Amino acid sequence: MLSKKQARAFFLIGTLVTFLVFIGLTVYSLSEGNDQTNKENLTAEVVRGKEIWESNNCMGCHTILGEGAYYAPELTKVIDRRGEGYIKAILMSPVPWQPNGRKMVAYGMTEAEATDVISFFKWIGEIDLNGFERIVSPLAKDRFNN
Ligand code: HEC
């Protein structure tokens, strides 16, 4: 049984040590050599693609980097999975894309808009994710054979 004094020392030292470990790992993660964000490849097209992504609420149905909704497929590695031509056709389609039953919004994008979104997907797909391939919710996995 610890005395009150020992318990206090245990608490203080424990807090200090974990705090220092936390600071150390933060500095390590943010140091230049450990940058995995692929930020040198951020171009104007990627930024425009990201704006289209945000303003159309794509995350209302899809996930990217595992974030978003589970109605539609995970898109982090969609370029590897589907290729550019396929994605462009979906984004430019005047009718909803729905080979598997659920409807993707028919955005009817221009070629330039679709190309920007594809640049954004390429950039996201090239981030070093420490081996994370993609997250597919059990629901999406059953529903979408990918
Ligand atoms: C209302 C929900 C919804 C929204 C919003 C939505 N999507 Fe989709 N999307 C879907 C569904 C559902 C599918 C799958 C259709 C199928 O395979 O039958 C899909 C498929 C896709 C695919 C093909 C994925 C694959 O693996 O086959 C891409 C790429 C895509 N969407 C991009 C986007 C982008 C970019 C946006 C925003 C501009 C967006 N989606 C917004 C529902 C949505």
Side-chain angles (χ1 to χ4, degrees):
M1 210 17 206
L2 295 179
S3 69
K4 223 172 184 180
K5 214 172 164 188
Q6 285 170 322
R8 187 178 300 133
F10 184 73
F11 169 77
L12 288 175
I13 292 168
T15 304
L16 187 70
V17 168
T18 45
F19 181 70
L20 289 176
V21 168
F22 173 73
I23 296 290
L25 288 175
T26 304
V27 170
Y28 175 78
S29 299
L30 296 179
S31 61
E32 245 344 275
N34 286 318
D35 184 17
Q36 296 173 305
T37 59
N38 183 25
K39 66 173 182 257
E40 62 283 2
N41 296 330
L42 270 179
T43 59
E45 293 87 66
V46 176
V47 173
R48 283 200 302 268
K50 164 78 169 160
E51 280 163 6
I52 294 172
W53 173 263
E54 295 292 341
S55 58
N56 289 287
N57 190 29
C58 309
M59 274 169 86
C61 294
H62 291 276
T63 50
I64 198 149
L65 299 173
E67 292 258 359
Y70 293 121
Y71 180 72
E74 202 334 290
L75 296 179
T76 309
K77 296 282 181 188
V78 72
I79 297 280
D80 293 353
R81 187 167 72 245
R82 298 296 195 196
E84 289 180 37
Y86 184 99
I87 299 170
K88 202 180 248 184
I90 295 176
L91 296 177
M92 292 175 67
S93 170
V95 293
W97 177 253
Q98 51 166 333
N100 296 300
R102 290 188 222 182
K103 282 188 186 170
M104 158 73 181
V105 181
Y107 285 103
M109 289 187 191
T110 62
E111 173 132 28
E113 288 167 331
T115 308
D116 289 344
V117 174
I118 285 169
S119 303
F120 171 62
F121 283 144
K122 276 190 193 157
W123 178 76
I124 282 275
E126 283 164 11
I127 293 177
D128 179 357
L129 298 172
N130 291 331
F132 161 98
E133 277 308 310
R134 64 203 166 100
I135 295 173
V136 181
S137 74
L139 190 68
K141 203 172 176 184
D142 289 347
R143 191 77 191 190
F144 302 100
N145 192 23
N146 55 25

